[in-house]
Amino acid sequence: MPMRLAIARQNSPQRMPDSAQSLDTYLEADLAAIAAAQRYRRRRIVACADLDKPTRVNVDGRDCIHFCSNDYLGLSTHASVREAFATAANRYGVGSGASHLITGHGPEHHALEEELAAFMGTPRALVYSTGYMCNLGIASALVRRGDRVLEDRLNHASLIDAGLANGARFERYAHANAEALEKTLEPKAQRPTPQRSWIFTDGVFSMDGDVAPLKALHSVATKHDATLMIDDAHGFGVIGATGRGSLEYCGLTPREVPIYMATLGKAAGVFGAFVAGSETLIETLIQKSRTYIYTTAVPPAVAAATRAALKVIQTEPWRRERLHALIAKFRQGARELGLTLFDSSTPIQPLILGDEAQALTASERLLERGLLVAAIRPPTVPQGTSRLRITFSTAHDMEDVERLLDALSYLPREH
Ligand SMILES: *Cc1c(COP(=O)(O)O)cnc(C)c1O
């Protein structure tokens, strides 16, 4: 009886704040500080406006073209991926009902793992529910107290959190800098010798779009008997001649990078993540990875849709080719406008604007012109590097890129 409850509350003396009020008071100062720093985040309600053109969206009631999703190949709306999803839901039901080690591991999950392993050229692969959980789960299974974890300064938050999790000695090295990594790895006499060293890096950096210098990182890792793990959330399906991501792009094999992780909610267009590696690595994760063991398996239809997406990644190379043509067109046009570009050959093309307010204003100006481009601010990126994070998708067309360039030419610039 909410009515009666409200009346009862009104009548009772309110000297002590109730629990919720006490919590709110405790939290409010924090929220005010976030707002004062121009870092308050608001969600927009974004709906796909046209299944044939997933870059057309309706944002809070207004039709827009977006340049900020990670659906790089346009697979989230691909007909065969949608169909696989619907067919599997009708065949297996919607929820998986349990974790993988109980009854949640079905034929679609298993087939997906085998197909991912075959695609990556590894003996095994293991599917996790999300990339965030995958990174935490890898670290929780492999890293022990007293180990060292070395991470690129610009790694994704989930890799950073993974590195901080297990009581390891956590250190960051300068971005994409194998020499800095090596200096950090050099044994320091005064410290106790670590049990094992782990190097975690993004394959493609999620906010800058550059590719990690994997060959150089691999040499340093080998020299110091450290284990290299890459998070290829933004490389898988997108770069490399056949879409096998940063490894293929850098000419490395999975034997050289023994832990390869990528997400399935970005270029693959669906949801989830996987690790590819040796039999022993995967068995260790199944036995020990807490975020694998203690969570419900993704719905079987998600696995089925991902299998269909993996097929498209292999059978429709034109999607990658078109994406790279769009990126080239953008970079050419942006150079002509005198915009400062990052050294990125991936769909992630940031434009640095400086402070939080500048990035927000630019994003609002673009939205007025029907273009949705995310403003990315600290703490996602370092202080003073607030930016527009522009991303491209196969689902864009050349005119979309022209519209974006035109709108960017109206943004105020400092020079
Ligand atoms: C998106 C992302 C993740 C997290 O993956 P989810 O499946 O979205 O949880 C992990 N690492 C990187 C580099 C990412 O960009």
Side-chain angles (χ1 to χ4, degrees):
M1 315 285 105
M3 196 62 181
R4 214 181 290 159
L5 220 128
I7 291 165
R9 236 215 234 167
Q10 270 173 13
N11 293 341
S12 70
Q14 279 273 309
R15 248 171 265 124
M16 292 292 288
D18 68 14
S19 303
Q21 194 189 331
S22 156
L23 174 64
D24 288 351
T25 309
Y26 173 72
L27 297 177
E28 269 154 16
D30 225 13
L31 286 184
I34 293 170
Q38 303 278 339
R39 292 183 187 180
Y40 206 91
R41 293 158 187 242
R42 285 178 211 285
R43 299 171 304 166
R44 296 189 172 100
I45 298 178
V46 180
C48 180
D50 179 353
L51 277 181
D52 294 325
K53 277 224 149 277
T55 51
R56 299 294 191 276
V57 287
N58 186 282
V59 182
D60 293 331
R62 168 208 283 265
D63 286 329
C64 290
I65 304 174
H66 72 65
F67 290 90
C68 42
S69 107
N70 304 313
D71 181 18
Y72 301 122
L73 298 176
L75 299 191
S76 72
T77 56
H78 191 286
S80 74
V81 178
R82 276 156 42 205
E83 193 177 305
F85 190 93
T87 305
N90 286 325
R91 176 152 180 213
Y92 300 106
V94 174
S96 66
S99 66
H100 283 275
L101 298 187
I102 309 300
T103 60
H105 188 69
E108 295 291 343
H109 300 98
H110 205 72
L112 172 61
E113 290 182 350
E114 289 177 345
E115 287 160 11
L116 285 166
F119 181 64
M120 290 311 300
T122 55
R124 293 280 297 274
L126 188 70
V127 170
Y128 280 72
S129 298
T130 73
Y132 193 108
M133 285 166 58
C134 187
N135 283 337
L136 289 185
I138 291 169
S140 78
L142 305 183
V143 177
R144 301 178 190 177
R145 181 171 293 280
D147 285 3
R148 295 178 85 181
V149 176
L150 297 107
E151 298 210 19
D152 189 290
R153 203 163 267 295
L154 297 187
N155 275 353
H156 188 261
S158 61
L159 265 188
I160 302 286
D161 292 357
L164 289 168
N166 272 17
R169 276 156 50 191
F170 176 81
E171 287 151 286
R172 289 168 138 187
Y173 58 88
H175 174 55
N177 189 330
E179 276 168 37
L181 168 66
E182 177 140 37
K183 284 216 183 78
T184 318
L185 261 174
E186 237 116 55
K188 298 200 173 65
Q190 70 274 23
R191 290 182 166 174
T193 318
Q195 292 163 332
R196 190 162 187 91
S197 298
W198 307 87
I199 300 162
F200 293 173
T201 182
D202 282 17
V204 172
F205 288 89
S206 56
M207 295 300 139
D208 289 39
D210 55 334
V211 181
L214 293 178
K215 272 234 150 107
L217 297 177
H218 164 65
S219 323
V220 173
T222 311
K223 191 166 150 200
H224 293 268
D225 192 27
T227 302
L228 180 59
M229 163 185 168
I230 74 169
D231 172 342
D232 210 18
H234 300 275
F236 177 76
V238 177
I239 60 170
T242 62
R244 285 167 175 80
S246 306
L247 283 191
E248 185 177 27
Y249 184 87
C250 294
L252 287 167
T253 69
R255 298 299 304 172
E256 294 169 307
V257 181
I259 312 173
Y260 178 89
M261 170 275 184
T263 64
L264 298 167
K266 288 170 179 152
V270 189
F271 188 74
F274 73 96
V275 189
S278 72
E279 182 74 31
T280 308
L281 171 71
I282 300 305
E283 280 303 313
T284 304
L285 295 176
I286 293 172
Q287 306 311 316
K288 295 180 66 181
S289 182
R290 296 172 65 81
T291 58
Y292 182 76
I293 300 169
Y294 299 109
T295 198
T296 303
V298 293
V302 167
T306 312
R307 293 179 66 197
L310 185 60
K311 210 165 277 163
V312 176
I313 287 173
Q314 295 172 83
T315 55
E316 298 184 12
W318 66 265
R319 290 184 175 269
R320 268 185 303 284
E321 286 152 23
R322 178 183 162 101
L323 176 61
H324 290 290
L326 291 160
I327 296 165
K329 179 175 175 70
F330 170 76
R331 289 183 65 85
Q332 168 77 25
R335 263 189 230 107
E336 282 162 16
L337 288 176
L339 298 171
T340 310
L341 291 168
F342 271 54
D343 181 22
S344 162
S345 53
T346 68
I348 303 165
Q349 296 289 331
L351 290 178
I352 299 278
L353 292 167
D355 75 19
E356 287 86 341
Q358 284 168 310
L360 281 177
T361 308
S363 175
E364 276 158 24
R365 289 283 132 73
L366 293 176
L367 192 58
E368 285 159 14
R369 293 171 175 270
L371 302 171
L372 179 61
V373 181
I376 307 284
R377 292 162 282 166
T380 308
V381 292
Q383 182 79 35
T385 71
S386 288
R387 64 194 68 187
L388 291 175
R389 178 178 180 268
I390 299 166
T391 61
F392 292 97
S393 164
T394 305
H396 284 120
D397 46 38
M398 290 295 174
E399 295 85 84
D400 296 338
V401 178
E402 279 159 19
R403 261 185 77 178
L404 174 66
L405 287 165
D406 182 55
L408 289 174
S409 73
Y410 290 99
L411 288 183
R413 258 173 282 162
E414 318 159 79
H415 48 75

